[in-house]
Amino acid sequence: MQPGLQPLKGWGTHTVAFPLGTSSEGEFLLSSYEQPRFAADLITTNSILVPGRVPPFPTTRSPPLAGGPGSWGRCDTVTPPAAIAPPPRPAPRGPGSGAVPPPRWFLLPGQPGGCAVLPGTRTADLPSTAVPMAAEPQPKALTRKPLLLNKVEGSQEVVNMAAIVPKEDGVISVSEDRTVRVWLKRDSGQYWPSIYHAMPSPCSCMSFNPETRRLSIGLDNGTISEFILSEDYNKMTQVKSYQAHQSRVIMILFVLEMEWVLSTGQDKHFTWHCSESGQRLGGYRTSAGACGLQFDVETRHVFVGDHSGQVTILKLEQESCSLVTTFKGHTGGVTALCWDPIQRVLFSGSSDHSIIMWDIGGRKGTAIELQGHNDKVQSLSYAHHTRQLISCGADGGIVVWNMDVERQETPEWLDSDSCQKCDQPFFWNFKQMWDSKKIGLRQHHCRKCGKAVCGKCSSKRSSIPLMGFEFEVRVCDSCHESITDEERAPTATFHDSKHNIVHVHFDATRGWLLTSGTDKVIKLWDMTPVVS
């Protein structure tokens, strides 16, 4: 044992020396202070004393030893106050080049995070309970994610739609089990139904207006029933019912300003009725059943998205409508629509797993594609105050998109009979294959430039978030080299709801998100950590 070293045994103040090499300036490691723990706890990384730096607690230092490399310095310390944070540890200078091996880490009693032992420390001085660790423990990164507030359970079948009651701890739900339920939070913290109402047919959709407490419910038999809820949400009174469609009502929307009830059905019809009289005001036949329905009050334009992937814009009058335009960008059916009246942008989600942002107000035909789901997009909500889009998929994924960035349109895919990079023929180009005596290749497309390329010239993958590709996609080799790390920075966050989502409702005033799933469970989430 080196002179002046004391073995780490027992309790109390101990002095530990470490070989720090020759140091004319007197650089020492302080690692002794008194606290009610194992003496081994005294081996920490918080106690290198550097000349010119004032330590956070009183110390006494021995003069530097005049030996060569491997000399032992000895430092005694007074007990540091527990509330004082240790100073950052500078890199110690070692013999020769000045580089020293990294400290070894040991797990010790009373120190859950482990402690560092510098090279040269005698492991014999450590207690037998010290366990070597593979590497320095790193603190876990703080990740923002939605917070699950509560679960609402009790439905016998799938909850097709539900809505958060503003300014109340309540939820309204309609289910395939033919029930309409109003759930209020009790003192126990659980949600219990204050209203349980049975309908004559399975409930397919609903629309709730909190200002008038008017609840419009679409049924599987094509009927729309309207109710008024009491102020305490303990009673609902039926106002009227009318046959709006010949088959299941898919979507329903109550417009207070116009006193209209808009609806779509499996009978491929869009209709609107007067909410006061129940009289049918008009209708329009779509190319397929429509699952998406949005309305702009200012211009009286209605947006209808159907299963063929087409979005139809209609101009509604009191008793007539006119076709404005139709556009199609999805390869699958439109499953959800969301309208932003401020930016005048329409979002459409599809069974092809994609979302398209249509710039209606810009009048330039701009369409931005967003790729972030592994299953069909079930519902869309938009937070106007933060310019964030919330999309939910059948796979249970909740994606929060930052729309306050300058996004780029995806390029159109170019047609070519040969690779536009190496000029190798594709397999249908028989003439060039014969002339060049080469086997035809399969055609691919670069997602960044849109060029037709072969597999060899597009072997790389990269995410392109500003183009909406949050996952890695095929790009040609030259485009892969041109994409910077800044361009790969994600513009969306991904979260798992742990159930297959059917419907979503977002309460922007509180930042709460409601998800209903195929598991018959309603979940309430606090989205403020990610939507802010």
Side-chain angles (χ1 to χ4, degrees):
M1 189 173 192
Q2 295 288 339
L5 279 182
Q6 299 179 16
L8 290 177
K9 295 179 181 179
W11 300 84
T13 301
H14 293 265
T15 300
V16 184
F18 295 90
L20 297 179
T22 303
S23 175
S24 59
E25 298 177 350
E27 185 175 277
F28 296 90
L29 176 67
L30 304 182
S31 183
S32 70
Y33 50 85
E34 179 153 351
Q35 60 179 12
R37 293 180 180 175
F38 257 126
D41 292 350
L42 306 179
I43 305 179
T44 62
T45 59
N46 65 356
S47 48
I48 285 186
L49 181 63
V50 179
R53 174 176 295 177
V54 179
F57 44 84
T59 64
T60 59
R61 184 177 57 174
S62 303
L65 301 179
S71 299
W72 290 85
R74 171 174 175 168
C75 299
D76 300 324
T77 71
V78 180
T79 303
I84 297 180
R89 181 176 65 86
R93 293 192 300 272
S97 62
V100 296
R104 292 173 296 161
W105 284 81
F106 287 83
L107 191 63
L108 299 173
Q111 290 229 29
C115 66
V117 178
L118 288 180
T121 304
R122 293 159 35 121
T123 56
D125 291 336
L126 295 175
S128 60
T129 54
V131 180
M133 299 174 66
E136 176 181 349
Q138 298 294 331
K140 292 184 178 180
L142 296 177
T143 57
R144 294 186 175 186
K145 60 182 181 178
L147 303 176
L148 181 62
L149 299 176
N150 220 316
K151 292 183 180 180
V152 181
E153 302 175 280
S155 298
Q156 302 301 314
E157 296 291 342
V158 174
V159 178
N160 288 317
M161 275 196 184
I164 300 172
V165 180
K167 302 179 182 179
E168 295 283 345
D169 280 332
V171 172
I172 304 173
S173 67
V174 295
S175 172
E176 201 69 28
D177 62 8
R178 304 189 179 191
T179 62
V180 180
R181 309 188 195 203
V182 178
W183 310 79
L184 296 181
K185 190 175 182 180
R186 307 302 182 182
D187 294 337
S188 63
Q190 299 298 315
Y191 285 82
W192 292 92
S194 62
I195 296 177
Y196 181 100
H197 185 85
M199 301 296 291
S201 180
C203 306
S204 55
C205 55
M206 58 164 277
S207 177
F208 177 66
N209 182 266
E211 297 180 25
T212 60
R213 300 187 306 279
R214 192 182 197 96
L215 179 63
S216 304
I217 301 172
L219 303 181
D220 186 67
N221 59 11
T223 302
I224 292 179
S225 297
E226 298 194 33
F227 298 85
I228 298 294
L229 301 183
S230 61
E231 292 186 10
D232 58 2
Y233 291 94
N234 286 314
K235 182 181 179 182
M236 57 187 293
T237 305
Q238 185 168 358
V239 179
K240 64 178 69 66
S241 291
Y242 44 88
Q243 192 73 28
H245 297 272
Q246 299 302 314
S247 57
R248 185 181 180 93
V249 182
I250 301 178
M251 287 294 295
I252 188 170
L253 188 62
F254 173 68
V255 183
L256 176 62
E257 294 82 357
M258 313 303 300
E259 293 186 346
W260 289 347
V261 177
L262 316 179
S263 62
T264 61
Q266 283 185 346
D267 57 1
K268 302 181 182 179
H269 273 86
F270 159 74
T271 64
W272 71 103
H273 292 74
C274 175
S275 62
E276 293 298 320
S277 63
Q279 178 184 357
R280 177 181 169 126
L281 300 177
Y284 182 86
R285 183 173 177 83
T286 57
S287 58
C291 283
L293 182 62
Q294 291 287 283
F295 183 74
D296 181 51
V297 176
E298 182 181 346
T299 61
R300 295 189 181 184
H301 284 155
V302 64
F303 307 93
V304 183
D306 59 44
H307 290 308
S308 70
Q310 180 174 284
V311 178
T312 303
I313 303 181
L314 302 172
K315 172 77 172 183
L316 298 189
E317 302 296 343
Q318 188 62 31
E319 296 183 357
S320 65
C321 70
S322 57
L323 176 64
V324 177
T325 187
T326 60
F327 46 86
K328 186 175 181 179
H330 292 287
T331 57
V334 175
T335 54
L337 290 179
C338 182
W339 171 247
D340 175 17
I342 300 175
Q343 302 294 327
R344 308 202 66 76
V345 170
L346 179 70
F347 300 94
S348 62
S350 172
S351 58
D352 64 6
H353 311 176
S354 71
I355 302 168
I356 297 180
M357 181 184 75
W358 308 89
D359 186 6
I360 305 297
R363 300 180 181 273
K364 295 181 180 179
T366 304
I368 303 297
E369 191 172 346
L370 305 176
Q371 296 278 359
H373 287 277
N374 295 314
D375 206 335
K376 66 177 180 178
V377 180
Q378 291 284 59
S379 191
L380 299 171
S381 298
Y382 189 71
H384 303 277
H385 59 295
T386 61
R387 296 193 65 181
Q388 288 174 289
L389 177 70
I390 305 172
S391 62
C392 299
D395 58 353
I398 301 175
V399 185
V400 181
W401 305 84
N402 178 16
M403 304 309 299
D404 197 21
V405 294
E406 187 175 350
R407 294 188 176 272
Q408 306 168 13
E409 279 192 280
T410 53
E412 292 188 11
W413 286 4
L414 303 178
D415 292 328
S416 178
D417 292 330
S418 58
C419 176
Q420 294 180 308
K421 292 292 184 179
C422 66
D423 202 36
Q424 288 274 13
F426 293 132
F427 63 85
W428 61 84
N429 190 352
F430 298 110
K431 184 179 185 305
Q432 186 176 349
M433 289 167 56
W434 177 264
D435 294 340
S436 61
K437 302 297 186 293
K438 293 180 179 179
I439 299 177
L441 304 177
R442 181 184 174 186
Q443 177 183 257
H444 300 281
H445 284 90
C446 173
R447 278 20 176 214
K448 191 174 191 301
C449 65
K451 290 183 178 180
V453 290
C454 65
K456 184 178 180 181
C457 294
S458 59
S459 60
K460 304 294 179 62
R461 301 293 184 271
S462 175
S463 61
I464 320 174
L466 293 180
M467 283 188 172
F469 298 111
E470 293 290 335
F471 304 146
E472 290 191 345
V473 292
R474 181 186 295 271
V475 293
C476 64
D477 295 349
S478 57
C479 285
H480 186 272
E481 295 176 0
S482 67
I483 301 175
T484 63
D485 291 339
E486 289 77 10
E487 291 176 322
R488 290 189 177 96
T491 61
T493 58
F494 299 84
H495 315 280
D496 186 10
S497 68
K498 299 188 183 301
H499 68 165
N500 297 333
I501 295 175
V502 175
H503 176 71
V504 164
H505 178 249
F506 181 63
D507 181 7
T509 57
R510 285 180 286 187
W512 287 11
L513 182 74
L514 176 150
T515 61
S516 60
T518 56
D519 56 359
K520 311 171 189 177
V521 177
I522 299 172
K523 294 184 180 182
L524 291 172
W525 306 85
D526 181 6
M527 298 295 292
T528 53
V530 293
V531 180
S532 59

